[in-house]
Amino acid sequence: MPAVALFGAGRIGAIHAANVAAHSDLTLTYVVDPVAPAAERLAAAHGARVAAAGDVLADADVAGVIIASSTDTHLEHCLNAAAAGKAIFCEKPIDLGLARARAAAPALALARLLLGFNRRFDPQFQALKAQLDSGAVGKLETLNIVSHDPAPPSIDYVKVSGGLFRDMAIHDFDTARWLLGEPPTEVFAAASCLVDPAIGAADDVDTAKILLRTASGKLCLISNSRRSGYGYDQRIEAFGSTGMVRAGNVTESALATWSEAGAAADRFQNFFLDRYADAYRLEMGHFAEVIAGAAPRVGLADALAALELAEAAQASVRSGGPVRL
Amino acid sequence: MPAVALFGAGRIGAIHAANVAAHSDLTLTYVVDPVAPAAERLAAAHGARVAAAGDVLADADVAGVIIASSTDTHLEHCLNAAAAGKAIFCEKPIDLGLARARAAAPALALARLLLGFNRRFDPQFQALKAQLDSGAVGKLETLNIVSHDPAPPSIDYVKVSGGLFRDMAIHDFDTARWLLGEPPTEVFAAASCLVDPAIGAADDVDTAKILLRTASGKLCLISNSRRSGYGYDQRIEAFGSTGMVRAGNVTESALATWSEAGAAADRFQNFFLDRYADAYRLEMGHFAEVIAGAAPRVGLADALAALELAEAAQASVRSGGPVRL
Amino acid sequence: MPAVALFGAGRIGAIHAANVAAHSDLTLTYVVDPVAPAAERLAAAHGARVAAAGDVLADADVAGVIIASSTDTHLEHCLNAAAAGKAIFCEKPIDLGLARARAAAPALALARLLLGFNRRFDPQFQALKAQLDSGAVGKLETLNIVSHDPAPPSIDYVKVSGGLFRDMAIHDFDTARWLLGEPPTEVFAAASCLVDPAIGAADDVDTAKILLRTASGKLCLISNSRRSGYGYDQRIEAFGSTGMVRAGNVTESALATWSEAGAAADRFQNFFLDRYADAYRLEMGHFAEVIAGAAPRVGLADALAALELAEAAQASVRSGGPVRL
Amino acid sequence: MPAVALFGAGRIGAIHAANVAAHSDLTLTYVVDPVAPAAERLAAAHGARVAAAGDVLADADVAGVIIASSTDTHLEHCLNAAAAGKAIFCEKPIDLGLARARAAAPALALARLLLGFNRRFDPQFQALKAQLDSGAVGKLETLNIVSHDPAPPSIDYVKVSGGLFRDMAIHDFDTARWLLGEPPTEVFAAASCLVDPAIGAADDVDTAKILLRTASGKLCLISNSRRSGYGYDQRIEAFGSTGMVRAGNVTESALATWSEAGAAADRFQNFFLDRYADAYRLEMGHFAEVIAGAAPRVGLADALAALELAEAAQASVRSGGPVRL
């Protein structure tokens, strides 16, 4: 079974470790993290060893590397892993700087690199894509994407996150690209700080509405908020020439209660690790396929393109006008 | 325009009066009610006159009679109106006694008599019937009917109502007959007094579950309660050989609210005059057709058959065993 | 009963005529239309008389005037009716030119003028507004409005309509203003011709996504299409600081069918006269209140503001940049 | 980690084996099945060994036994395992004969026996139970249970299944007992052969409606069919004194599509191994607790009571009258 090493023993690293461990074709052999106790704990839980990055990459038995470390280290780990000939799974975004990422692109051009845009692996969105591809609603014309987090992250996280567009909307940019079938050529974004003044003080925004346009005139709206107050709101509506298809929210249960006050249904799955548990599992399954030789379904070009849209959205907010790509 | 007389100026009489007044092919000319002020008020509201039953029936210009008086007078009014050659719309039930109703049947056999089983005219249930007739779910096999009132009527009403089966379930018996397409040959009912002990003290029940069976083995469940606590619950599920069709409840609005607590939707239309407003209007439209010569879509035979099922259900509760018809 | 005159005997005039006729406090006395047969037919249907505009306005018994004539005549009829001291109900938009409408404003300043922004009277959107006002979802932050027509109008209509923004989106601009509670200060619109090239040839668009922003940073998305392929899609989602409230589409029935293929529910109410039948009735009820002395709930300032947003959206499409107001 | 042995390497045995293997506190050590290749395959898949029943029970290291063999062997395996002092998980029903099961009861009285009524562990039904227990709908009065299979089993299976009531409805009898909170004292069942004449030829029924009544007058309807034509229909509605709570069906996805024809939603999870995957996993988790000393949440008394209801329902169909317990 192919051996896999994990870089980053934090929350998202733990998810990937568990999915590797549960996968019948992968073995987790190494955990790499500067925070030793975290690395130890995660390695112990899955029968892996703690090691230094260099040793891991030097181990010829390691077929694949999962990069789930802090964002500022993604690109360097990618470059090193590529140089060592490993298959790479890299969490989004590939970097916080588009120029830097583009500069690294030639060195990554031949790498087998899978980007962690997990929405592409979500069964709900996969079903929507399949419905679109089947022609059930004709030719796609426009998209309305709603992507609201339940509650804002800590201010400490906000400060190193790269901002709402690079950290959160980047998923939606990739989703839009995936579904539109052609690259957005124009981005306009309006954004506010309505949720928490501390986010504004950190020079970030917490509420945004984004409008994308493609060369053929397809349009896409994205609605983002760092706080919903009612759960993790993750929906896509795709409008085609003969109909509309919607991937709705996933609720905690199919329970409904009727009383004096009306009907009450269960809340949305509230946490991204719950809502996208299947997506995380399935993208790791695809990484096993990549290790075995398959072409990554989402790779370097997608990483750069989503980052470009994120930077364009931020520039649009700063300039107050649309940004052409 | 055909002239119509109304017998009974109570709540349901007022509904029929308004629907006659709003109908482009009918004119309300008389209101008959022993309670003079009620008759005066309703007649005034619609430009009609108060009159005695005999005078109304003697008026050759009166083409149709609506009988919405107290239940114990339905049959006598029907007989008199039939003798006078009037088209008759009679509220359900035609009488509280099956033997009496059967005895009157020969005298009514030639009358143009439309029974007020309004469910047959409800757009929701009509749509369900049309779906069944279209073959969308194959051949009908079984029905599950839920018919729960929002809150029990007054004890005074309960005492003269003829009991839950004759007063309330009789609608569901007619609906079952209409949809099953063949007569039930067996009735089993279990009933309890769970809502209000005063209903039990009046020798009635407030909660019932009924099982019907036809000769070919089709089965029908009916769920009745005098009190839901959450609105007027009026649903039908029809199970066919290739699928299921449901006529769901009608809600006050399409509003939904998501908050910490989950999703909340609006309540069901709570009052039978709201929920069945269209049905009342459409059945009066059909009465106009009957006056103009059309065969009643629901008539004497249906009145007797539903009453027979109601009496059988009550007998089943009393005996503790099923009743064969 | 106050006498009302109707200017315009077309499709929408016929709706207003019927609602006036059915209203217990209004009488329709005159119908004015240059197309004599249409005027005759509608007048006859409601017991009104055909007359010339001047005679109608000179009749002191006429308390109110309904302007449902072609859009290019709205403003002139308004000015004449105002000069004659009549209460005025004017269909949207008040004019196709903002400058002209603004120039007329002083002469209309004292008129009792009700604008036909019927969404404000729709029970669904009223319920949403009430929910927002109740604080059920905290403080309003952003709106997502979907407003897609089932099918495009005729090209002849498109050519005189003033374009998608003045003709169709103007409703949504008014709705946005009504719900946001503060005026939009910036408009960005992207638009395409995806539905019918003939619409593009007529120098119009058929698909648009619009982004509004207010001074306090509230954001609003509007999604417009001249053709849905699946019915009349009229929805609003309002995101507040503690939750979300949605006014959903209204379906033809509560019927659902399950078969091999999955679940099928009934279609949306397809035609604006069906979907907004209650709104048309209720706005005419409000006009009766205005005639009786009440302040119009939506008036001249709203007419100008919505038209300003429509022109700004169109200018945004033309310039490719946002328009500040 | 406690060692567990599996008796029965068929479809349901494979499910239990996988859940044991995935459970962090259990180890699958033995597989017992007279069909050697099936036993070999399943044992190999989970690193267990094939063994004879006697050897397994003689192995002091085996803490628990899972009985998923053919129904006619359940009771004997239970008795042997109990004699050997093992904790027992036994698939439903414990036997096809109530008299035999009752006769065995004393020998099982002290055994730690968990019955495989998996509905009790289903998150949907657990949520419904929790809602009832919370008082959200007041005091429970009646239940409507729908339990329709997607398609009938093979005739060979039907012939050894013990019939619809013992094989299929037995789950619903247990659910009813669990939710009602008091034992049914009367059963009336009507049943037909509408799906497949071969089922009737095998002296079984494929369609049934059952009515239960408790001493305090609570009522329960159960709707059963061997074939839905539209998926696995598993729903419960519980009517309380102040409202209603429903555990609805679980759909394959949250996808919905609108087109000319109306709205289409995804189908129900179609197969019991999908619909109840969580329930199977969670009941095995409870078995780990039972092995560790916890009292079984559903045990011998429940096994006997559900079987008694199944036999009563069958007797009711045969006699045509209700059966008192």
Side-chain angles (χ1 to χ4, degrees):
Chain A
M1 270 203 304
V4 168
L6 171 69
F7 287 47
R11 186 168 64 174
I12 191 65
I15 298 298
H16 294 317
N19 282 322
V20 168
H23 196 282
S24 55
D25 292 342
L26 297 175
T27 311
L28 185 69
T29 47
Y30 294 111
V31 175
V32 180
D33 197 299
V35 183
E40 294 290 353
R41 224 175 4 245
L42 194 57
H46 296 292
R49 273 171 296 152
V50 171
D55 296 339
V56 164
L57 296 179
D59 184 340
D61 288 342
V62 170
V65 167
I66 296 168
I67 301 171
S69 50
S70 64
T71 302
D72 59 331
T73 67
H74 284 186
L75 197 55
E76 187 188 347
H77 286 318
C78 278
L79 288 166
N80 293 340
K86 310 300 187 193
I88 307 166
F89 174 94
C90 180
E91 262 303 327
K92 55 101 244 183
I94 194 166
D95 196 80
L96 292 180
L98 176 60
R100 209 159 42 219
R102 279 182 171 154
L108 295 171
L110 296 179
R112 288 164 298 146
L113 173 61
L114 173 64
L115 247 290
F117 285 129
N118 62 354
R119 267 68 165 171
R120 296 209 191 197
F121 299 89
D122 176 58
Q124 307 295 332
F125 299 158
Q126 287 269 354
L128 179 136
K129 180 72 156 64
Q131 192 77 328
L132 285 176
D133 292 347
S134 77
V137 297
K139 195 180 166 211
L140 178 67
E141 294 176 351
T142 75
L143 292 174
N144 289 0
I145 297 176
V146 173
S147 175
H148 294 196
D149 278 354
S154 70
I155 285 297
D156 284 349
Y157 179 84
V158 166
K159 285 176 182 165
V160 300
S161 69
L164 179 143
F165 297 107
R166 280 187 191 86
D167 178 56
M168 179 181 172
I170 199 164
H171 276 300
D172 308 307
F173 290 128
D174 182 64
T175 301
R177 290 184 63 252
W178 176 49
L179 296 176
L180 287 169
E182 60 182 59
T185 55
E186 183 184 316
V187 182
F188 179 81
S192 301
C193 180
L194 300 174
V195 172
D196 185 353
I199 295 177
D203 198 27
D204 197 0
V205 294
D206 50 37
T207 309
K209 307 270 181 179
I210 308 165
L211 211 164
L212 307 179
R213 186 191 170 92
T214 70
S216 77
K218 289 180 186 171
L219 305 173
C220 173
L221 294 177
I222 298 172
S223 181
N224 285 137
S225 171
R226 283 289 195 184
R227 179 263 292 123
S228 73
Y230 57 88
Y232 193 32
D233 194 351
Q234 298 285 298
R235 286 174 283 151
I236 303 175
E237 291 188 348
F239 300 90
S241 53
T242 64
M244 186 247 291
V245 56
R246 173 198 295 160
N249 278 303
V250 181
T251 53
E252 295 279 355
S253 77
L255 208 72
T257 305
W258 284 261
S259 63
E260 267 300 302
D266 211 341
R267 51 184 299 141
F268 300 150
Q269 285 187 346
N270 195 46
F271 191 43
F272 75 98
L273 295 182
D274 292 334
R275 172 62 184 82
Y276 289 114
D278 284 340
Y280 284 117
R281 185 174 51 77
L282 293 166
E283 72 178 1
M284 203 44 63
H286 181 52
F287 188 46
E289 296 170 342
V290 170
I291 290 176
R297 277 198 255 152
V298 49
L300 179 63
D302 302 297
L304 297 176
L307 189 54
E308 184 184 23
L309 288 166
E311 294 211 346
Q314 189 155 327
S316 172
V317 169
R318 297 245 155 103
S319 74
V323 173
R324 270 88 195 179
L325 303 175
Chain B
M1 269 204 304
V4 167
L6 171 69
F7 287 48
R11 186 168 66 174
I12 191 65
I15 299 298
H16 293 318
N19 282 322
V20 168
H23 196 284
S24 57
D25 292 343
L26 297 176
T27 312
L28 185 69
T29 47
Y30 294 111
V31 175
V32 180
D33 198 300
V35 183
E40 294 290 355
R41 220 167 15 237
L42 194 57
H46 296 293
R49 272 172 294 150
V50 170
D55 295 338
V56 164
L57 296 180
D59 184 339
D61 287 343
V62 171
V65 168
I66 296 167
I67 300 172
S69 49
S70 64
T71 302
D72 60 330
T73 68
H74 284 185
L75 195 56
E76 188 189 345
H77 285 320
C78 278
L79 288 166
N80 293 340
K86 310 302 188 192
I88 306 167
F89 174 94
C90 181
E91 264 302 328
K92 56 98 244 180
I94 194 167
D95 196 76
L96 292 180
L98 176 60
R100 212 161 37 221
R102 279 182 173 154
L108 295 171
L110 297 179
R112 288 163 297 146
L113 173 61
L114 173 64
L115 247 290
F117 285 129
N118 62 354
R119 267 68 165 171
R120 295 209 191 196
F121 298 89
D122 175 58
Q124 307 295 333
F125 298 158
Q126 286 268 353
L128 178 137
K129 180 72 158 62
Q131 192 78 327
L132 284 176
D133 291 348
S134 77
V137 296
K139 195 180 164 211
L140 177 67
E141 294 176 351
T142 75
L143 292 173
N144 288 1
I145 297 175
V146 172
S147 175
H148 293 194
D149 279 353
S154 69
I155 285 296
D156 284 349
Y157 179 83
V158 166
K159 285 177 181 165
V160 300
S161 71
L164 179 145
F165 297 106
R166 281 187 191 87
D167 178 57
M168 180 183 171
I170 199 162
H171 276 299
D172 308 305
F173 290 128
D174 182 65
T175 301
R177 291 184 63 251
W178 177 48
L179 296 175
L180 287 169
E182 60 183 58
T185 55
E186 183 184 317
V187 183
F188 179 81
S192 300
C193 180
L194 299 174
V195 173
D196 184 352
I199 295 176
D203 198 26
D204 198 0
V205 295
D206 49 39
T207 309
K209 307 269 182 178
I210 308 165
L211 212 165
L212 306 179
R213 187 192 169 91
T214 71
S216 77
K218 290 179 185 171
L219 305 173
C220 172
L221 292 178
I222 299 172
S223 182
N224 287 137
S225 171
R226 284 288 195 184
R227 179 263 293 121
S228 73
Y230 57 89
Y232 192 32
D233 194 351
Q234 298 284 298
R235 287 175 282 151
I236 303 176
E237 292 188 347
F239 300 90
S241 52
T242 64
M244 186 248 292
V245 54
R246 173 198 293 160
N249 278 303
V250 181
T251 54
E252 295 279 356
S253 77
L255 208 73
T257 305
W258 284 260
S259 63
E260 268 300 304
D266 211 340
R267 49 185 298 141
F268 301 149
Q269 287 188 346
N270 195 45
F271 190 42
F272 75 98
L273 296 182
D274 293 334
R275 171 64 184 81
Y276 289 115
D278 284 340
Y280 284 117
R281 185 174 51 77
L282 293 166
E283 71 178 1
M284 203 46 61
H286 181 51
F287 188 46
E289 297 170 341
V290 169
I291 290 175
R297 277 200 253 150
V298 48
L300 178 63
D302 302 296
L304 297 177
L307 188 54
E308 184 184 23
L309 287 166
E311 293 211 347
Q314 187 154 329
S316 172
V317 170
R318 297 243 154 105
S319 74
V323 173
R324 271 87 194 179
L325 302 175
Chain C
M1 271 203 301
V4 167
L6 171 69
F7 286 49
R11 186 169 65 176
I12 191 65
I15 298 297
H16 294 318
N19 282 322
V20 168
H23 196 284
S24 56
D25 293 343
L26 297 175
T27 311
L28 185 70
T29 48
Y30 294 111
V31 175
V32 180
D33 198 298
V35 183
E40 293 291 352
R41 222 174 6 246
L42 195 57
H46 296 292
R49 273 170 296 151
V50 171
D55 296 338
V56 164
L57 295 180
D59 184 341
D61 287 344
V62 170
V65 167
I66 296 167
I67 301 172
S69 50
S70 63
T71 301
D72 59 331
T73 67
H74 284 185
L75 196 56
E76 188 190 347
H77 286 319
C78 278
L79 287 166
N80 292 341
K86 310 300 187 194
I88 305 167
F89 174 94
C90 181
E91 263 303 326
K92 54 100 252 185
I94 194 166
D95 196 78
L96 292 180
L98 176 60
R100 210 161 40 222
R102 278 183 172 154
L108 295 171
L110 296 179
R112 288 163 299 147
L113 173 61
L114 173 63
L115 247 292
F117 285 128
N118 61 355
R119 268 67 165 171
R120 295 208 191 196
F121 299 88
D122 176 57
Q124 307 296 331
F125 298 158
Q126 286 269 353
L128 179 137
K129 179 72 157 63
Q131 193 78 327
L132 284 176
D133 292 348
S134 77
V137 296
K139 195 180 166 210
L140 178 67
E141 294 176 352
T142 76
L143 292 174
N144 289 1
I145 297 176
V146 172
S147 175
H148 293 195
D149 278 353
S154 69
I155 284 297
D156 285 349
Y157 179 84
V158 165
K159 285 176 181 165
V160 300
S161 71
L164 179 143
F165 296 107
R166 281 187 192 86
D167 179 57
M168 180 182 171
I170 199 163
H171 275 300
D172 308 306
F173 289 129
D174 182 65
T175 301
R177 291 185 62 252
W178 176 48
L179 296 176
L180 286 169
E182 61 182 60
T185 55
E186 183 184 317
V187 183
F188 179 82
S192 301
C193 180
L194 300 174
V195 173
D196 184 353
I199 294 176
D203 198 27
D204 198 1
V205 294
D206 50 37
T207 310
K209 307 269 181 178
I210 308 164
L211 211 165
L212 307 179
R213 186 192 169 91
T214 70
S216 77
K218 290 179 186 172
L219 304 172
C220 173
L221 293 177
I222 298 172
S223 181
N224 286 137
S225 171
R226 284 287 196 184
R227 178 264 293 122
S228 72
Y230 57 89
Y232 192 31
D233 194 351
Q234 298 284 297
R235 286 174 283 151
I236 303 174
E237 291 188 349
F239 300 90
S241 52
T242 63
M244 186 246 293
V245 54
R246 173 199 292 161
N249 278 302
V250 181
T251 54
E252 295 279 355
S253 76
L255 208 73
T257 305
W258 284 261
S259 63
E260 267 301 301
D266 211 340
R267 49 185 298 141
F268 301 150
Q269 285 188 347
N270 194 46
F271 191 43
F272 74 98
L273 295 182
D274 292 335
R275 172 62 185 83
Y276 289 115
D278 284 339
Y280 284 117
R281 185 175 50 77
L282 293 166
E283 72 179 359
M284 202 46 63
H286 181 52
F287 188 45
E289 296 169 343
V290 170
I291 290 175
R297 277 198 254 152
V298 48
L300 179 62
D302 302 296
L304 297 176
L307 189 54
E308 184 184 25
L309 288 166
E311 294 210 347
Q314 188 154 326
S316 172
V317 169
R318 297 242 155 104
S319 73
V323 174
R324 269 88 194 179
L325 303 174
Chain D
M1 266 199 308
V4 167
L6 171 69
F7 286 48
R11 185 167 67 176
I12 190 67
I15 298 298
H16 294 316
N19 283 322
V20 168
H23 196 284
S24 56
D25 293 343
L26 297 176
T27 311
L28 185 69
T29 47
Y30 294 111
V31 175
V32 180
D33 197 301
V35 183
E40 293 290 354
R41 225 174 5 246
L42 194 57
H46 296 292
R49 272 172 295 152
V50 171
D55 296 338
V56 164
L57 295 180
D59 184 339
D61 288 344
V62 171
V65 168
I66 296 168
I67 301 172
S69 49
S70 64
T71 301
D72 58 331
T73 67
H74 284 184
L75 195 57
E76 188 189 346
H77 285 319
C78 278
L79 287 167
N80 293 339
K86 310 301 187 195
I88 307 167
F89 173 94
C90 181
E91 263 302 327
K92 56 99 248 183
I94 194 166
D95 196 79
L96 292 179
L98 176 61
R100 211 161 38 223
R102 279 183 172 156
L108 295 171
L110 295 180
R112 289 163 297 147
L113 172 61
L114 173 64
L115 246 291
F117 285 128
N118 61 355
R119 269 68 166 170
R120 295 209 190 196
F121 298 89
D122 175 59
Q124 307 296 333
F125 298 157
Q126 286 269 352
L128 179 137
K129 180 70 157 66
Q131 191 78 327
L132 284 177
D133 291 348
S134 77
V137 297
K139 196 181 164 210
L140 178 67
E141 294 176 352
T142 75
L143 292 174
N144 289 0
I145 297 175
V146 172
S147 176
H148 294 195
D149 278 354
S154 70
I155 284 297
D156 285 348
Y157 178 83
V158 165
K159 284 177 181 165
V160 300
S161 70
L164 180 144
F165 297 106
R166 280 187 192 87
D167 179 57
M168 180 182 172
I170 199 163
H171 275 300
D172 307 306
F173 289 128
D174 182 64
T175 301
R177 289 185 63 251
W178 177 47
L179 296 175
L180 287 169
E182 62 183 57
T185 54
E186 183 184 316
V187 182
F188 179 82
S192 300
C193 180
L194 300 173
V195 173
D196 184 352
I199 294 176
D203 199 27
D204 198 359
V205 294
D206 50 38
T207 310
K209 306 269 181 179
I210 307 165
L211 212 164
L212 306 179
R213 185 191 170 92
T214 70
S216 77
K218 290 180 186 171
L219 305 173
C220 172
L221 293 177
I222 299 171
S223 181
N224 286 137
S225 171
R226 283 288 196 185
R227 179 263 293 122
S228 73
Y230 56 89
Y232 193 29
D233 195 350
Q234 298 283 297
R235 287 175 282 151
I236 303 175
E237 292 188 347
F239 300 90
S241 52
T242 64
M244 187 246 293
V245 55
R246 173 198 292 160
N249 278 301
V250 181
T251 55
E252 295 278 357
S253 77
L255 209 72
T257 305
W258 283 261
S259 63
E260 267 301 303
D266 210 339
R267 48 184 301 140
F268 301 149
Q269 286 187 344
N270 194 46
F271 191 41
F272 75 97
L273 295 182
D274 292 335
R275 171 62 185 84
Y276 289 114
D278 284 340
Y280 283 117
R281 186 174 50 78
L282 293 166
E283 71 179 1
M284 202 47 62
H286 181 51
F287 188 45
E289 296 169 342
V290 169
I291 289 175
R297 276 199 255 152
V298 48
L300 178 63
D302 302 297
L304 297 176
L307 189 54
E308 184 184 24
L309 288 166
E311 295 211 345
Q314 188 154 326
S316 172
V317 169
R318 298 244 154 103
S319 73
V323 172
R324 270 88 196 179
L325 303 174

